[in-house]
Amino acid sequence: MTDNLTLAEAALWLRLSERALYALARAGRIPAAQVGGKWIFPRASLARWLALQAEPAAGAPLAPPPIVAGSHDPLLDWAVRESGSRLAVLSGGSLAGLEALAEGRAIIAATHVLDPDSGGFNEAAARDALGARPAVGIVWAWRDQGMILPAGNPRRLARVEDLVAGDIRVIGRQPRAGSHVLMVHLLTEAGLRLDQINLLPDPAMAEDEVAAAVAEGRADAGFGILAEAARRGLDFVPLLRERFDLVMGLRSYFEPAFQALLHFAQGEAFRRRAAAMGGYDIGEVGRVAFLL
């Protein structure tokens, strides 16, 4: 048994993808050395590193509960139930999920927060919420975000600017939701303010509540994902393709709960479900999006 492992051998031993292991090595987050342009991983050092991820240090706080907090995503909800991961989902908005992760009330934060300055997703919000805590962002899916409209689009809405007509009722999201951040950004890009649209007084707390408000005639438009519009036979105007990530500490990445979910998300049943829902690109599921 060799004392040093190649990238492929170490990835197989750790049950990581080579891309994930390469990202950890490049960031200096795992024992590795680059020799002659190739990565080498000392087996003994890897074993010690892995043990540290699995075992909390003496006096460390209790491990967070096996909860995925943050943004609501119907594909994630389904996968958590079907994967046998023993995770629980607590939806409450992307920023609330990151706060729960930072405070040890969840093991994973589900987020889709646009950074208007860079045009990227989730890393800036995670850094703001977690500070110096080490964490990793894992791609769950790319999603089609836009306006959810009644079947047939009777008001002929095609752009964000069309929402300023005073008689158009818009169902919003809670301020800490990624969809709210996106809505404010798109309005700003169009030269509009939030107070120029007719928002219903009570925001929707999840993606499916937006679609329900439109389907039931309580709203003429709302911001949400294609999958929820399609599920209710509603019209949809795409506005943005967004990345939905799962953010967690490195130790949590290696826990059986997340590994079970990730393994399920790389299977055929998951691919069929995503295709049937519509509006998902799962080609990068499991990829390391960023390291903090």
Side-chain angles (χ1 to χ4, degrees), residues 217-228:
R218 293 183 281 114
D220 301 304
F223 283 83
I225 60 173
L226 173 57
E228 289 293 354

Side-chain angles (χ1 to χ4, degrees), residues 188-204:
T188 302
E189 289 288 292
L192 301 171
R193 301 186 313 274
L194 191 61
D195 61 9
Q196 289 179 268
I197 63 176
N198 181 19
L199 278 175
L200 296 182
D202 297 322

Side-chain angles (χ1 to χ4, degrees), residues 130-143:
L130 301 176
R133 295 178 180 85
V136 59
I138 302 297
V139 177
W140 179 249
W142 287 86
R143 310 190 307 179

